[in-house]
Amino acid sequence: MEYLYTIIVMMALYVILASSFDFVIGHGGLISIAHPIFYALGAYASALLAKDLHWPIVLAIPAGAVVAMVASVLVALPALRVSGDYLLIASIGFQLGVIEAIKNLDWTGGAGGLSNIPGVSITQGHGPYVIAVVLIAIATVALLRFVAHSPYGRAISALRDDEPAFIALGRNAMHMKIGIFALGSAIAGLAGGLYAHYFRFLSADQFGIMQSAALLTMVVVGGMRSIWGPVLGAIVLEALPQALTFLNLPPSILGPLQGILFTGLVLIFMFFRPQGLIVAGDVWTGRRNAKEAAHVRRA
Amino acid sequence: MSAGLEATGLEVTGLCKRFGGIVVADAIDLAIPPGRVVGLIGPNGAGKTSFFNLVAGMVRADAGRVRLDGTDLTRLPGYSRARLGLARTWQNLRLFPSLSVLDNLLIAPRRYPGESLAALLRPARLRSAEYQARERAASVLERTGLAAIAHHPVADVPFGQQKLIGVARALMNDPRCLLLDEPMAGVEGAAYGAIQRVVRDLAAAGIAICVVEHNVAFIRDLCDEGVFMFAGRVLARGEVGTLIADPRLTELYFGT
């Protein structure tokens, strides 16, 4: 049962991470691959608040999301002021820097990792927590879908299409980019807190570039900007390595096989289906109801 | 018409800009009163589009002032200038290909609460802004003759109509001053007449209009006045027919 729980939690967390990453890179067109560092900041902040300051978990997790959001704004502000491309460099630098910092500080557990993180009550079992994580994953996808089809989503599409034209119409492109980055990063931070209190152990290395590559694979294979694409990508790419373990292969073959699988999938999709499993529509659609559409047509 | 007490139109004084050794604006003075249509003419590289970029705030000027109806825009970023009623179109259209014709317009009103995430928490306010924008879009689409294709993706629309959408989008702003960058390039047939009609109506409604255009017939028919630019400077200003007839300017225009 614990094994199944773990798989479900990891799938749900990757759904949250891949969806929020797609919001930043796919919808927002903000080229950053440092998404895992906001996951890490949420995880460490929530874990430390609960462990050292004895915050209740239900408060520590949202606080972790806030920490991730604030950090993302601090990275995006100077980076986006220079130019869009600079965000990629600044965010990777931030990612690698924070990982090194965590490894070299005492109160973060250092290179050995942070253990004994307060978890959910064992007497109740993990069931309710697993259900909560799944519900939060569903809520995240619903929220991002809502945002993507709202007037904010229309503005995101326009910004991605043509920034100078967007600005010339009186829209504040800078504010929007920071908003997109902050929302995506806050959601990653939320996932971090959920992770920390389930597994009760954190190690800085798990939030590095390999994690970035895994998330990018999920988004690309699933289908950028399609809402359901990253969900499918996360589930498939989390399930595949697990399925392989049932083949009873010796670890010396299993490890490389999983690596080959990921790399192979990325190559196959790049060549044969760059748009991913689920193809996003070319034209933005809102939640416009039929009455309003008819109103415009009639006029 | 929503003219304030000081409807003085666009006033540009001493506008300067150089990129390294290249001077794109050399102390340009230009005033466009409300309701007047001024045509900018001059050879390629004269600084016409750069002038638009400087006035609209896409590019920051080295010196000089830009005022609209008495408000100093000089220190304001591009989006703030647009919110004060300065609208422009682009030579290369710059429509949003992933939006329908209607959504290209709905993104463009002066006030668009939907650009803030916080606004999503106030759905009633958002809905009322959307409703107003749709009302305005319906009237703009009607005026520009685009109502029939409102729900088409812009990429599927013929080029002439795309130009018209660019103008329609700028109108969502309810501008006090409109900068049109080559509105007629590549346009013929019905769209030509439609753009001409729209520009006349806007001028009649008291909007200050500046047009960059190589189509001499269009400039002569529509503009109250022409301004001849060369090497970032205003060389001559006057009636369009007179400017075109000036052999000295013709020589500069076509080269020797």
Side-chain angles (χ1 to χ4, degrees), chain B residues 10-255:
Chain B
L10 181 75
E11 297 164 291
V12 176
T13 44
L15 199 66
C16 292
K17 180 69 185 178
R18 56 164 67 227
F19 294 106
I22 299 164
V23 181
V24 295
D26 187 357
I28 298 176
D29 295 319
L30 186 64
I32 306 177
R36 254 181 118 71
V37 187
V38 171
L40 282 189
I41 22 185
N44 287 325
K48 306 186 296 292
T49 295
S50 292
F51 176 71
F52 276 12
N53 287 338
L54 287 165
V55 171
M58 310 294 120
V59 176
R60 193 139 285 213
D62 297 335
R65 292 209 164 282
V66 178
R67 285 169 201 274
L68 181 60
D69 285 347
T71 308
D72 195 337
L73 306 182
T74 314
R75 302 233 157 266
L76 299 177
Y79 70 88
S80 299
R81 297 186 191 198
R83 288 178 188 181
L84 290 168
L86 187 73
R88 72 169 294 179
T89 68
W90 306 79
Q91 195 178 335
N92 49 354
L93 292 169
R94 287 188 174 272
L95 300 179
F96 304 119
S98 65
L99 298 181
S100 71
V101 174
L102 174 63
D103 284 319
N104 262 272
L105 265 60
L106 290 179
I107 203 80
R110 279 198 208 181
R111 210 175 62 83
Y112 185 83
E115 73 189 291
S116 151
L117 268 173
L120 295 179
L121 302 173
R122 297 163 78 182
R125 191 165 153 265
L126 200 55
R127 254 199 309 276
S128 99
E130 275 285 295
Y131 183 77
Q132 283 169 24
R134 278 171 197 277
E135 292 273 288
R136 179 159 188 89
S139 100
V140 169
L141 287 169
E142 188 61 32
R143 258 202 287 174
T144 47
L146 294 167
I149 56 162
H151 296 281
H152 291 223
V154 284
D156 297 353
V157 171
F159 184 76
Q161 283 190 316
Q162 289 190 2
K163 281 263 177 175
L164 206 46
I165 296 166
V167 177
R169 195 173 63 172
L171 295 190
M172 285 297 287
N173 179 279
D174 192 13
R176 299 298 311 141
C177 172
L178 180 60
L179 311 173
L180 296 166
D181 200 349
E182 301 205 15
M184 287 306 170
V187 177
E188 46 197 24
Y192 190 101
I195 292 178
Q196 216 168 20
R197 183 168 43 75
V198 168
V199 173
R200 279 211 183 93
D201 290 350
L202 292 173
I207 293 165
I209 300 172
C210 188
V211 192
V212 165
E213 183 55 61
H214 288 288
N215 184 324
V216 172
F218 180 79
I219 289 273
R220 201 173 37 211
D221 290 352
L222 217 57
C223 297
D224 303 310
E225 184 175 19
V227 168
F228 192 96
M229 279 188 72
F230 188 78
R233 266 188 292 173
V234 172
L235 282 197
R237 176 164 193 172
E239 208 247 318
V240 178
T242 321
L243 288 182
I244 295 168
D246 188 329
R248 191 175 58 103
L249 299 180
T250 314
E251 193 180 298
L252 285 174
Y253 194 101
F254 292 107

Side-chain angles (χ1 to χ4, degrees), chain A residues 123-136:
Chain A
T123 50
Q124 290 170 18
H126 276 153
Y129 193 80
V130 174
I131 292 169
V133 173
V134 170
L135 289 178
I136 290 170

Side-chain angles (χ1 to χ4, degrees), chain A residues 208-226:
Chain A
I209 299 291
M210 287 305 291
Q211 185 75 268
S212 299
L215 288 183
L216 192 59
T217 308
M218 288 172 184
V219 171
V220 170
V221 168
M224 266 196 186
R225 286 194 286 118
S226 60

